[in-house]
Amino acid sequence: MNKSLLGFLLLVASFCHLSPAHADGLVVDKVYHPYVLANEKEFEWRIMSSQTENKNRLGQRFGYGQSFAENKMLELYVIGERDQDDNFGVTGYEVEMRWMLTEQGQYSADWGAIFEFEKHNGEDNFEATSGIAVEKEFGKLSATLNAFLIYEWGNSIENEFETEFRAKFRYRYMSVLQPSIEIYLGEDFVGIGPGFMGTYRFEGQKQLKWEAGFISEISHSGKDHTLRFALEYEF
Amino acid sequence: MSLRPLWLSLLLLCSFSSVAKLEEFYIELKDHIFVPERIELPANKKVKLIILNRDTTAEEFDSFDLNREKVLFPNRKAVIFVGPLKPGEYEFFGEFNPDSARGFVVVKEPSDVH
């Protein structure tokens, strides 16, 4: 077996060995790639709909991002979720910084860092997140891993550390269609399922990227599916 | 939670990093045209593709075949790490001038590269 592939599989196994994995809220979200492109600006919309035996959770994010160096990007999000009374509203605001640590292809794997700070809407509750994104090419296959360490604190939540892990194995079939398998580990959640992403180019730097995935919980019996969809308009 | 397997694996992954000096290949971008338009690279080797943008405007190198995207700032060199690749033709283009700024990386067995 290729040494790099072996190393990567060991890394996946190591993250899976982290237990217990914790994270509040919707675990299924987005697997971050470790890349930042200079002069890039983008609008982003994400939606996550989770269906269990007794509830349907809905989360959405609207964001604007802009690179401020050749390898760093800042993005601001407004976060919304449906509450227990089935009312959808703004639940928080987040600022996110992505940092491309290595040039694509320079080393055996590409590395990036992610830092997020979130404030809950109308409450003095906060979340600070540090994470890494690693991507490795195997010909037309790409494996992407994310690991996050989250600290939550505030007036109405318990102060605690949490961890999350996400992985995506993608086949770069064609620009508009790149099928994948995604894995998510979080609080009482181990999910896996198919996904796809694609890009449609208009002109210049203008392009539309889409991602979707259907993730099923597999660590316990009972219904727990999440459909996620994301659109990014880069310009 | 046990972090030992994680750190061992990170160490393993880092140890596979390439530190050898890579062979360099050069392309110029002038008047929104890549010169040469076809560049031969050796198969199964990682190389540095160095692109000098001699135009006064930025360009964006894009190649789905090579899985690379990079901004080429005016009057600056950009380094793109490519490979290891199998023999074949890999298309690239400039996003801002896709009609003129186009080219191919032609990957051949090392003995056939000129």
Side-chain angles (χ1 to χ4, degrees), chain A residues 11-173:
Chain A
L11 191 62
V12 173
S14 302
F15 282 124
C16 293
H17 189 269
L18 291 173
S19 66
H22 294 292
D24 293 332
L26 287 160
V27 177
V28 176
D29 189 351
K30 172 184 178 176
V31 181
Y32 284 88
H33 300 273
Y35 311 115
V36 170
L37 199 60
N39 299 340
E40 187 177 327
K41 297 173 189 168
E42 68 177 34
F43 286 108
E44 183 176 1
W45 171 59
R46 298 184 211 167
I47 183 167
M48 289 76 69
S49 176
S50 164
Q51 180 74 58
T52 62
E53 300 284 0
N54 48 20
K55 62 181 175 182
N56 181 307
R57 300 181 66 186
L58 180 72
Q60 294 194 63
R61 275 173 176 254
F62 299 90
Y64 171 76
Q66 186 169 332
S67 55
F68 61 96
E70 286 186 43
N71 60 353
K72 296 180 190 71
M73 184 159 189
L74 203 64
E75 190 153 355
L76 304 171
Y77 295 98
V78 177
I79 303 165
E81 286 193 22
R82 187 157 56 206
D83 64 18
Q84 293 168 339
D85 302 321
D86 278 348
N87 295 317
F88 185 87
V90 173
T91 55
Y93 306 93
E94 184 181 282
V95 58
E96 173 188 276
M97 202 266 278
R98 287 185 282 128
W99 182 6
M100 186 169 81
L101 297 172
T102 61
E103 280 291 324
Q104 194 172 7
Q106 185 175 8
Y107 300 105
S108 60
D110 305 323
W111 292 78
I114 301 143
F115 302 99
E116 297 170 349
F117 181 78
E118 180 183 338
K119 182 188 181 304
H120 295 187
N121 187 30
E123 296 174 303
D124 283 335
N125 297 331
F126 305 91
E127 279 184 36
T129 302
S130 298
I132 56 164
V134 190
E135 185 154 320
K136 171 74 183 163
E137 280 182 53
F138 305 97
K140 295 203 83 169
L141 285 172
S142 294
T144 311
L145 308 179
N146 293 171
F148 297 99
L149 180 65
I150 304 156
Y151 184 65
E152 281 188 349
W153 74 98
N155 290 340
S156 57
I157 57 172
E158 188 182 345
N159 298 0
E160 60 177 353
F161 280 102
E162 304 173 339
T163 56
E164 274 188 16
F165 168 71
R166 305 170 190 169
K168 177 157 71 176
F169 301 92
R170 172 173 56 116
Y171 179 65
R172 290 184 299 104
Y173 175 56

Side-chain angles (χ1 to χ4, degrees), chain A residues 188-199:
Chain A
D188 301 325
F189 188 92
V190 179
I192 187 168
F196 66 86
M197 62 176 285
T199 302

Side-chain angles (χ1 to χ4, degrees), chain A residues 161-228:
Chain A
F161 280 102
E162 304 173 339
T163 56
E164 274 188 16
F165 168 71
R166 305 170 190 169
K168 177 157 71 176
F169 301 92
R170 172 173 56 116
Y171 179 65
R172 290 184 299 104
Y173 175 56
M174 60 174 72
S175 179
V176 294
L177 181 61
Q178 301 171 49
S180 61
I181 298 290
E182 297 182 359
I183 299 169
Y184 294 85
L185 301 182
E187 183 179 26
D188 301 325
F189 188 92
V190 179
I192 187 168
F196 66 86
M197 62 176 285
T199 302
Y200 180 79
R201 190 173 302 286
F202 298 103
E203 61 175 5
Q205 278 189 309
K206 292 175 186 167
Q207 55 184 356
L208 188 66
K209 289 182 176 176
W210 53 85
E211 290 190 21
F214 185 74
I215 310 302
S216 298
E217 220 288 337
I218 56 170
S219 66
H220 56 74
S221 59
K223 184 179 177 183
D224 189 349
H225 305 302
T226 304
L227 177 68
R228 77 172 192 91

Side-chain angles (χ1 to χ4, degrees), chain A residues 6-7 10 108, chain B residues 7-17:
Chain A
L6 178 64
L10 276 168
S108 60
Chain B
W7 289 112
L8 280 174
S9 300
L10 286 172
L11 199 64
L12 262 172
L13 200 67
C14 292
S15 69
F16 297 145
S17 299

